[in-house]
Amino acid sequence: AFLPLLEKAATHVSGDALSADRAAILNIGSDCSSQALNLRGSGPSNSLLAYKMSKVAMLSMARTMAADLKVKNLPVLITTIHPGWVQTDMGGSNAEISVDESVTKIVAGIGRLEAAHNGGIFNRDLEAMPF
Ligand SMILES: NC(=O)c1ccc[n+]([C@@H]2O[C@H](COP(=O)([O-])OP(=O)(O)OC[C@H]3O[C@@H](n4cnc5c(N)ncnc54)[C@H](OP(=O)(O)O)[C@@H]3O)[C@@H](O)[C@H]2O)c1
């Protein structure tokens, strides 16, 4: 549904550089999508099973869309950020960092997004994470 709007935004800037200034989709993902890090099972009551599956699906969608957009020559950036273990309803009060700390870093990184981030997953400092 959003693709025509992203296409429109992408053509407002000349050249083919990817950036959030131009047109971008930023997914909030999770280290739970990583198969390389997937060694600790589904947690108490198997509660992480569906969650992990949903995060893998979202990352696959983003990577597939990034390839589709490249084939169509549409300079729309799509990337996924893992916010860290954050003190939210889901993360719980024992989580490592506050919402402010996580969000401040994510927002600060948006202006630095470029082609190297297209289709990948990164932590809140924009360091690449394993698939
Ligand atoms: N917290 C962490 O440690 C952590 C770690 C890795 C990744 N993440 C990712 O960060 C994102 C935010 O997580 P969070 O920790 O903020 O979770 P959260 O505290 O559980 O909050 C989830 C938010 O999503 C909304 N929501 C849930 N289902 C929805 C739906 N069907 N339609 C619209 N809104 C819906 C909820 O709205 P209501 O309040 O109205 O229900 C709530 O505002 C998620 O994508 C999560 O996977 C979080």
Side-chain angles (χ1 to χ4, degrees), residues 28-31 51 55 82-91 95:
I28 302 300
S30 170
D31 55 355
Y51 180 70
K55 289 307 191 190
H82 165 56
W85 185 23
V86 189
Q87 293 149 8
T88 62
D89 286 349
M90 190 188 85

Side-chain angles (χ1 to χ4, degrees), residues 55-119:
K55 289 307 191 190
V56 171
M58 188 177 68
L59 186 57
S60 177
M61 180 192 76
R63 201 165 175 82
T64 306
M65 276 184 74
D68 285 347
L69 292 166
K70 194 170 184 180
V71 168
K72 288 182 184 164
N73 221 11
L74 278 176
V76 176
L77 190 156
I78 175 161
T79 195
T80 301
I81 306 285
H82 165 56
W85 185 23
V86 189
Q87 293 149 8
T88 62
D89 286 349
M90 190 188 85
S93 55
N94 290 331
E96 281 168 359
I97 54 169
S98 68
V99 170
D100 270 5
E101 187 177 346
S102 178
V103 172
T104 300
K105 288 215 164 179
I106 292 170
V107 171
I110 289 175
R112 291 190 283 124
L113 291 173
E114 55 178 5
H117 303 109
N118 201 33

Side-chain angles (χ1 to χ4, degrees), residues 5-86:
L5 298 174
L6 288 164
E7 282 187 43
K8 196 173 167 185
T11 55
H12 277 198
V13 181
S14 59
D16 58 3
L18 297 178
S19 77
D21 281 344
R22 169 174 234 148
I25 300 171
L26 172 55
N27 291 316
I28 302 300
S30 170
D31 55 355
C32 279
S33 67
S34 171
Q35 301 313 296
L37 302 175
N38 193 0
L39 303 169
R40 281 203 262 165
S42 56
S45 322
N46 303 118
S47 57
L48 283 178
L49 186 58
Y51 180 70
K52 284 185 171 183
M53 291 166 70
S54 75
K55 289 307 191 190
V56 171
M58 188 177 68
L59 186 57
S60 177
M61 180 192 76
R63 201 165 175 82
T64 306
M65 276 184 74
D68 285 347
L69 292 166
K70 194 170 184 180
V71 168
K72 288 182 184 164
N73 221 11
L74 278 176
V76 176
L77 190 156
I78 175 161
T79 195
T80 301
I81 306 285
H82 165 56
W85 185 23
V86 189

